[in-house]
Amino acid sequence: MNQPERIGFPGAMAIRNCRLALHAGRVDVALLPAGGPIKLALIEAKISTAGDAASKVIGQLLMYYSGALLLGSEGLRRMREFAAKDPVRAQSRSTVSPKRLTDGLSPPDRAWKVLYGGESLLPQEIKLFVALDNPAHRALVPTLSTLRMHHYLDIGVILVNGTRIERVH
């Protein structure tokens, strides 16, 4: 969140622990780039020794990705507005609900309708990352390479040392 330029998104705003769709869980970090072809970057952070860091993390990212594909231009606008207006809350560990993103719209169905409004995000406008605290499990990189080769799904790996990005693949 604090070094978006290190992964190619200088000036990007961040929202932590945010739900992107009713069916998708909460992504660890959603980056909102300032400009360019990528409109949303999703980052799932894992401790490298966690059982799901080997490859199940890819399933989590795909769930968030499917949720992001439902977001519309109005949803992105609302996310940007929230991140700019209240960066402390946006980057805190508390859950960011659709109600919070839509200035208190309730019930949730109304909020989701607003977030899905406008032109939908396109696959090429979304970038996916796994962030790890140590080198990836031996199964992760070959799995990601196969997905990239056969399905053109490009998932980056970020290696973090404490709060500093060491390397990006």
Side-chain angles (χ1 to χ4, degrees), residues 9-76:
F9 306 113
M13 293 182 286
I15 300 176
R16 177 187 248 171
N17 204 17
C18 181
R19 183 169 231 115
L20 301 172
L22 185 59
H23 72 274
R26 294 183 305 269
V27 66
D28 287 333
V29 178
L31 287 181
L32 300 153
I38 303 297
K39 294 183 179 177
L40 183 64
L42 306 176
I43 304 167
E44 182 63 15
K46 291 287 177 197
I47 295 172
S48 63
T49 56
D52 58 352
S55 57
K56 290 180 184 176
V57 66
I58 297 167
Q60 282 182 275
L61 272 172
L62 290 177
M63 179 178 59
Y64 307 141
Y65 176 62
S66 74
L69 289 169
L70 295 175
L71 283 175
S73 53
E74 180 61 16
L76 276 180

